[in-house]
Amino acid sequence: MKALRIEMVHDLVCSWCPIGYANLQQALRNLSIEACINFLPYELNPDIGPKGEDIDDHLGRRNQWGQSKRNDYRTNLLAVAKQAGVCIDFSKRSRYYNSNKAHRLMHWCEGFNRQQAMNELMIDAYFKQGLDISNTQVLLDLVEQLGLDRSEGEQVLISNKINQQLLLKKQRVQKLKLPGVPAFIFNETTLVSGSSSVEYFEKTILNVTKKSA
């Protein structure tokens, strides 16, 4: 059987993306199946400025939610995150940030087969520590943690070539006409949208692997 190939469409500031990623990983562990996971960019808030935006303010403005609705949303999100084993610390993570630079690094890390490792560092930095992952120095610190070259990473953040390569990935994602993220493409044939349960991922993986057998 060929190795399972999974592409995850995500944004690095999307609250549901680390939940979907965690559930997918658990499903793979439960089934003792190894997979090659790569990531495709989806920027939820490409127009957010360098200082970011308060999450409550953003949700209220974008969705026209009052405080009660925002509280209910957060309570539900934290319950689902806890079940998935994902830490979202809203005492530290209080702002949305522009994720373009972070996606640039994710794209670059694909060349080293380190996208999953960088994704996990980003999740910890943003959702657990509340760090500004649009900040160049924060991102370069993550590059060093991953054991990659800081100066090369700095060039990635301003490279027009990298920007063009990222644009091609974005154009591919746009053709999928997704309702939101996360989304997962299995073996280039099966699309799952949303941060599905472990059980749902298990069923999907088994169906895909049967077709590939």
PDB file of all heavy atoms in Angstrom, residues 39-57:
ATOM      1  N   PHE A  39       1.016  21.078   4.208  1.00  0.00           N
ATOM      2  CA  PHE A  39       0.086  22.144   4.556  1.00  0.00           C
ATOM      3  C   PHE A  39      -0.088  23.139   3.421  1.00  0.00           C
ATOM      4  O   PHE A  39       0.881  23.508   2.743  1.00  0.00           O
ATOM      5  CB  PHE A  39       0.574  22.873   5.816  1.00  0.00           C
ATOM      6  CG  PHE A  39       0.608  21.989   7.028  1.00  0.00           C
ATOM      7  CD1 PHE A  39       1.669  21.128   7.244  1.00  0.00           C
ATOM      8  CD2 PHE A  39      -0.433  22.002   7.945  1.00  0.00           C
ATOM      9  CE1 PHE A  39       1.703  20.287   8.352  1.00  0.00           C
ATOM     10  CE2 PHE A  39      -0.410  21.172   9.058  1.00  0.00           C
ATOM     11  CZ  PHE A  39       0.655  20.320   9.258  1.00  0.00           C
ATOM     12  N   LEU A  40      -1.330  23.565   3.240  1.00  0.00           N
ATOM     13  CA  LEU A  40      -1.669  24.568   2.241  1.00  0.00           C
ATOM     14  C   LEU A  40      -2.213  25.809   2.941  1.00  0.00           C
ATOM     15  O   LEU A  40      -2.980  25.694   3.907  1.00  0.00           O
ATOM     16  CB  LEU A  40      -2.704  24.019   1.256  1.00  0.00           C
ATOM     17  CG  LEU A  40      -2.258  22.834   0.394  1.00  0.00           C
ATOM     18  CD1 LEU A  40      -3.439  22.259  -0.380  1.00  0.00           C
ATOM     19  CD2 LEU A  40      -1.148  23.254  -0.559  1.00  0.00           C
ATOM     20  N   PRO A  41      -1.846  27.010   2.465  1.00  0.00           N
ATOM     21  CA  PRO A  41      -2.200  28.248   3.173  1.00  0.00           C
ATOM     22  C   PRO A  41      -3.612  28.742   2.897  1.00  0.00           C
ATOM     23  O   PRO A  41      -4.108  28.669   1.773  1.00  0.00           O
ATOM     24  CB  PRO A  41      -1.169  29.246   2.634  1.00  0.00           C
ATOM     25  CG  PRO A  41      -0.927  28.773   1.228  1.00  0.00           C
ATOM     26  CD  PRO A  41      -0.992  27.262   1.285  1.00  0.00           C
ATOM     27  N   TYR A  42      -4.222  29.257   3.944  1.00  0.00           N
ATOM     28  CA  TYR A  42      -5.534  29.912   3.852  1.00  0.00           C
ATOM     29  C   TYR A  42      -5.503  31.055   4.861  1.00  0.00           C
ATOM     30  O   TYR A  42      -5.465  30.819   6.063  1.00  0.00           O
ATOM     31  CB  TYR A  42      -6.637  28.916   4.200  1.00  0.00           C
ATOM     32  CG  TYR A  42      -8.051  29.397   3.976  1.00  0.00           C
ATOM     33  CD1 TYR A  42      -8.813  28.887   2.924  1.00  0.00           C
ATOM     34  CD2 TYR A  42      -8.647  30.330   4.811  1.00  0.00           C
ATOM     35  CE1 TYR A  42     -10.127  29.297   2.723  1.00  0.00           C
ATOM     36  CE2 TYR A  42      -9.948  30.754   4.622  1.00  0.00           C
ATOM     37  CZ  TYR A  42     -10.685  30.234   3.578  1.00  0.00           C
ATOM     38  OH  TYR A  42     -11.986  30.648   3.387  1.00  0.00           O
ATOM     39  N   GLU A  43      -5.491  32.283   4.381  1.00  0.00           N
ATOM     40  CA  GLU A  43      -5.404  33.437   5.280  1.00  0.00           C
ATOM     41  C   GLU A  43      -6.799  33.967   5.595  1.00  0.00           C
ATOM     42  O   GLU A  43      -7.474  34.526   4.730  1.00  0.00           O
ATOM     43  CB  GLU A  43      -4.535  34.526   4.652  1.00  0.00           C
ATOM     44  CG  GLU A  43      -3.072  34.126   4.533  1.00  0.00           C
ATOM     45  CD  GLU A  43      -2.206  35.224   3.916  1.00  0.00           C
ATOM     46  OE1 GLU A  43      -2.414  36.404   4.258  1.00  0.00           O
ATOM     47  OE2 GLU A  43      -1.341  34.890   3.089  1.00  0.00           O
ATOM     48  N   LEU A  44      -7.212  33.794   6.830  1.00  0.00           N
ATOM     49  CA  LEU A  44      -8.538  34.247   7.249  1.00  0.00           C
ATOM     50  C   LEU A  44      -8.633  35.765   7.304  1.00  0.00           C
ATOM     51  O   LEU A  44      -9.687  36.343   6.996  1.00  0.00           O
ATOM     52  CB  LEU A  44      -8.868  33.664   8.637  1.00  0.00           C
ATOM     53  CG  LEU A  44      -9.157  32.164   8.684  1.00  0.00           C
ATOM     54  CD1 LEU A  44      -9.170  31.689  10.136  1.00  0.00           C
ATOM     55  CD2 LEU A  44     -10.496  31.851   8.018  1.00  0.00           C
ATOM     56  N   ASN A  45      -7.560  36.410   7.721  1.00  0.00           N
ATOM     57  CA  ASN A  45      -7.590  37.862   7.944  1.00  0.00           C
ATOM     58  C   ASN A  45      -6.403  38.529   7.264  1.00  0.00           C
ATOM     59  O   ASN A  45      -5.536  39.112   7.921  1.00  0.00           O
ATOM     60  CB  ASN A  45      -7.562  38.151   9.449  1.00  0.00           C
ATOM     61  CG  ASN A  45      -8.622  37.383  10.211  1.00  0.00           C
ATOM     62  OD1 ASN A  45      -9.799  37.468   9.910  1.00  0.00           O
ATOM     63  ND2 ASN A  45      -8.205  36.613  11.212  1.00  0.00           N
ATOM     64  N   PRO A  46      -6.340  38.489   5.925  1.00  0.00           N
ATOM     65  CA  PRO A  46      -5.164  39.019   5.229  1.00  0.00           C
ATOM     66  C   PRO A  46      -4.994  40.534   5.356  1.00  0.00           C
ATOM     67  O   PRO A  46      -3.897  41.048   5.112  1.00  0.00           O
ATOM     68  CB  PRO A  46      -5.417  38.629   3.764  1.00  0.00           C
ATOM     69  CG  PRO A  46      -6.900  38.469   3.661  1.00  0.00           C
ATOM     70  CD  PRO A  46      -7.333  37.926   4.988  1.00  0.00           C
ATOM     71  N   ASP A  47      -6.056  41.227   5.757  1.00  0.00           N
ATOM     72  CA  ASP A  47      -5.988  42.687   5.834  1.00  0.00           C
ATOM     73  C   ASP A  47      -5.670  43.217   7.235  1.00  0.00           C
ATOM     74  O   ASP A  47      -5.588  44.433   7.430  1.00  0.00           O
ATOM     75  CB  ASP A  47      -7.313  43.307   5.359  1.00  0.00           C
ATOM     76  CG  ASP A  47      -7.619  42.948   3.910  1.00  0.00           C
ATOM     77  OD1 ASP A  47      -6.658  42.887   3.117  1.00  0.00           O
ATOM     78  OD2 ASP A  47      -8.798  42.722   3.587  1.00  0.00           O
ATOM     79  N   ILE A  48      -5.500  42.317   8.192  1.00  0.00           N
ATOM     80  CA  ILE A  48      -5.179  42.763   9.546  1.00  0.00           C
ATOM     81  C   ILE A  48      -3.794  43.410   9.567  1.00  0.00           C
ATOM     82  O   ILE A  48      -2.842  42.899   8.977  1.00  0.00           O
ATOM     83  CB  ILE A  48      -5.247  41.592  10.547  1.00  0.00           C
ATOM     84  CG1 ILE A  48      -6.705  41.302  10.910  1.00  0.00           C
ATOM     85  CG2 ILE A  48      -4.457  41.886  11.813  1.00  0.00           C
ATOM     86  CD1 ILE A  48      -6.887  40.262  11.986  1.00  0.00           C
ATOM     87  N   GLY A  49      -3.686  44.532  10.258  1.00  0.00           N
ATOM     88  CA  GLY A  49      -2.445  45.298  10.296  1.00  0.00           C
ATOM     89  C   GLY A  49      -1.398  44.699  11.208  1.00  0.00           C
ATOM     90  O   GLY A  49      -1.612  43.659  11.843  1.00  0.00           O
ATOM     91  N   PRO A  50      -0.255  45.361  11.340  1.00  0.00           N
ATOM     92  CA  PRO A  50       0.892  44.818  12.083  1.00  0.00           C
ATOM     93  C   PRO A  50       0.656  44.645  13.581  1.00  0.00           C
ATOM     94  O   PRO A  50       1.360  43.861  14.220  1.00  0.00           O
ATOM     95  CB  PRO A  50       2.007  45.833  11.818  1.00  0.00           C
ATOM     96  CG  PRO A  50       1.305  47.083  11.399  1.00  0.00           C
ATOM     97  CD  PRO A  50       0.081  46.649  10.682  1.00  0.00           C
ATOM     98  N   LYS A  51      -0.318  45.349  14.146  1.00  0.00           N
ATOM     99  CA  LYS A  51      -0.597  45.211  15.579  1.00  0.00           C
ATOM    100  C   LYS A  51      -1.646  44.139  15.880  1.00  0.00           C
ATOM    101  O   LYS A  51      -1.931  43.854  17.039  1.00  0.00           O
ATOM    102  CB  LYS A  51      -1.037  46.545  16.162  1.00  0.00           C
ATOM    103  CG  LYS A  51       0.054  47.615  16.149  1.00  0.00           C
ATOM    104  CD  LYS A  51      -0.422  48.894  16.810  1.00  0.00           C
ATOM    105  CE  LYS A  51       0.681  49.945  16.820  1.00  0.00           C
ATOM    106  NZ  LYS A  51       0.230  51.217  17.456  1.00  0.00           N
ATOM    107  N   GLY A  52      -2.237  43.577  14.823  1.00  0.00           N
ATOM    108  CA  GLY A  52      -3.268  42.581  15.032  1.00  0.00           C
ATOM    109  C   GLY A  52      -4.581  43.211  15.448  1.00  0.00           C
ATOM    110  O   GLY A  52      -4.761  44.426  15.374  1.00  0.00           O
ATOM    111  N   GLU A  53      -5.507  42.373  15.911  1.00  0.00           N
ATOM    112  CA  GLU A  53      -6.813  42.862  16.357  1.00  0.00           C
ATOM    113  C   GLU A  53      -7.296  42.009  17.521  1.00  0.00           C
ATOM    114  O   GLU A  53      -7.147  40.783  17.506  1.00  0.00           O
ATOM    115  CB  GLU A  53      -7.828  42.809  15.212  1.00  0.00           C
ATOM    116  CG  GLU A  53      -9.184  43.378  15.578  1.00  0.00           C
ATOM    117  CD  GLU A  53     -10.177  43.388  14.419  1.00  0.00           C
ATOM    118  OE1 GLU A  53      -9.853  42.814  13.356  1.00  0.00           O
ATOM    119  OE2 GLU A  53     -11.286  43.930  14.587  1.00  0.00           O
ATOM    120  N   ASP A  54      -7.874  42.659  18.513  1.00  0.00           N
ATOM    121  CA  ASP A  54      -8.443  41.949  19.648  1.00  0.00           C
ATOM    122  C   ASP A  54      -9.462  40.917  19.161  1.00  0.00           C
ATOM    123  O   ASP A  54     -10.318  41.224  18.324  1.00  0.00           O
ATOM    124  CB  ASP A  54      -9.109  42.951  20.598  1.00  0.00           C
ATOM    125  CG  ASP A  54      -9.737  42.265  21.795  1.00  0.00           C
ATOM    126  OD1 ASP A  54      -9.031  42.018  22.784  1.00  0.00           O
ATOM    127  OD2 ASP A  54     -10.957  41.971  21.725  1.00  0.00           O
ATOM    128  N   ILE A  55      -9.385  39.704  19.665  1.00  0.00           N
ATOM    129  CA  ILE A  55     -10.237  38.620  19.182  1.00  0.00           C
ATOM    130  C   ILE A  55     -11.707  38.917  19.426  1.00  0.00           C
ATOM    131  O   ILE A  55     -12.547  38.745  18.528  1.00  0.00           O
ATOM    132  CB  ILE A  55      -9.836  37.281  19.831  1.00  0.00           C
ATOM    133  CG1 ILE A  55      -8.471  36.832  19.299  1.00  0.00           C
ATOM    134  CG2 ILE A  55     -10.884  36.199  19.541  1.00  0.00           C
ATOM    135  CD1 ILE A  55      -7.925  35.579  19.956  1.00  0.00           C
ATOM    136  N   ASP A  56     -12.064  39.370  20.614  1.00  0.00           N
ATOM    137  CA  ASP A  56     -13.464  39.691  20.903  1.00  0.00           C
ATOM    138  C   ASP A  56     -13.981  40.780  19.975  1.00  0.00           C
ATOM    139  O   ASP A  56     -15.097  40.692  19.450  1.00  0.00           O
ATOM    140  CB  ASP A  56     -13.616  40.129  22.363  1.00  0.00           C
ATOM    141  CG  ASP A  56     -13.940  38.970  23.286  1.00  0.00           C
ATOM    142  OD1 ASP A  56     -14.065  37.837  22.782  1.00  0.00           O
ATOM    143  OD2 ASP A  56     -14.066  39.196  24.504  1.00  0.00           O
ATOM    144  N   ASP A  57     -13.180  41.814  19.785  1.00  0.00           N
ATOM    145  CA  ASP A  57     -13.584  42.900  18.889  1.00  0.00           C
ATOM    146  C   ASP A  57     -13.776  42.383  17.464  1.00  0.00           C
ATOM    147  O   ASP A  57     -14.729  42.764  16.772  1.00  0.00           O
ATOM    148  CB  ASP A  57     -12.532  44.013  18.886  1.00  0.00           C
ATOM    149  CG  ASP A  57     -12.477  44.773  20.199  1.00  0.00           C
ATOM    150  OD1 ASP A  57     -13.413  44.628  21.020  1.00  0.00           O
ATOM    151  OD2 ASP A  57     -11.488  45.498  20.412  1.00  0.00           O
TER     152      ASP A  57
END
